[in-house]
Amino acid sequence: LDILHTNKVIMNIALVGYGRMGKEIERIALDRGHHIVLKIDENNIKSITSEDLQNVEVAIEFSIPQSAFSNISLMLDHKVPVVSGTTGWIDKLELIIERCKNEHVTFFYASNYSVGVNLFFKLNQHLAKMMNNFPDYDISIEETHHTQKLDAPSGTAITLAEDLVRNIDRKK
């Protein structure tokens, strides 16, 4: 364990979206010795300047679906790498991916960052391939969330559904 701590990298982080998830990321980042150099939300996004972003090494974006694309675009405009977990905006994801390819900027997205959920994604893919051989059985998804969940279906449900469609010939 000491070996892991001797080469510790300290990052200057911008939090884009300062709701529940932004505050939790801040807590974890500070506990790990990182610096939160900028907190961006709907109250200050329009006043962010190049100087504000000068010392940012990575932006962690957990905002809302309606502003995610413009938030990510703003960071990429300033060559700030972005890690995003905002769901509900992925109809524009291909535009960001294309921009990254063309401009050599960095963007990382996942619909869910939980290790357990990502193991579930892999299990879902494997089971979907198996179920493809059993047309007498149907597969459906029903989702229940806490009352503060902003997007429905969630990014997690969408990822699960996309993997089913990709691996089961009879699903569209």
Side-chain angles (χ1 to χ4, degrees):
L1 233 95
D2 289 341
I3 293 171
L4 294 175
H5 295 296
T6 57
N7 294 326
K8 190 172 183 179
V9 175
I10 304 299
M11 293 183 294
N12 289 333
I13 300 170
L15 297 176
V16 183
Y18 196 60
R20 268 186 328 155
M21 193 58 143
K23 289 178 176 101
E24 183 63 18
I25 292 167
E26 176 183 40
R27 186 190 64 73
I28 293 167
L30 293 174
D31 284 350
R32 294 182 180 180
H34 301 293
H35 304 288
I36 305 301
V37 296
L38 190 58
K39 298 174 194 173
I40 302 171
D41 63 16
E42 71 274 5
N43 297 316
N44 67 350
I45 187 75
K46 299 212 185 287
S47 64
I48 299 299
T49 66
S50 294
E51 291 76 37
D52 294 328
L53 297 169
Q54 193 170 350
N55 294 320
V56 174
E57 294 173 295
V58 64
I60 301 178
E61 196 276 338
F62 276 86
S63 62
I64 59 173
Q66 297 81 359
S67 61
F69 180 78
S70 61
N71 291 340
I72 294 163
S73 296
L74 175 65
M75 296 300 111
L76 296 179
D77 288 346
H78 292 88
K79 308 294 186 221
V80 175
V82 180
V83 173
S84 177
T86 303
T87 59
W89 68 277
I90 59 170
D91 56 319
K92 296 181 180 174
L93 181 59
E94 283 303 315
L95 295 172
I96 294 294
I97 292 170
E98 200 57 38
R99 181 171 181 189
C100 289
K101 290 176 185 176
N102 293 335
E103 298 176 25
H104 305 288
V105 289
T106 303
F107 175 73
F108 184 85
Y109 170 78
S111 62
N112 193 307
Y113 284 91
S114 161
V115 171
V117 170
N118 278 276
L119 290 171
F120 181 52
F121 287 160
K122 287 295 183 191
L123 181 60
N124 180 58
Q125 292 166 9
H126 180 72
L127 290 173
K129 289 175 187 171
M130 291 173 58
M131 290 302 295
N132 193 39
N133 298 321
F134 296 93
D136 292 344
Y137 292 91
D138 196 17
I139 298 168
S140 63
I141 296 174
E142 185 174 318
E143 178 179 46
T144 305
H145 264 283
H146 53 80
T147 57
Q148 287 117 8
K149 184 72 177 141
L150 296 178
D151 61 324
S154 69
T156 301
I158 291 168
T159 299
L160 290 167
E162 286 172 344
D163 285 340
L164 292 176
V165 169
R166 199 171 4 267
N167 291 293
I168 299 176
D169 298 333
R170 64 189 177 276
K171 290 292 181 184
K172 303 284 183 250

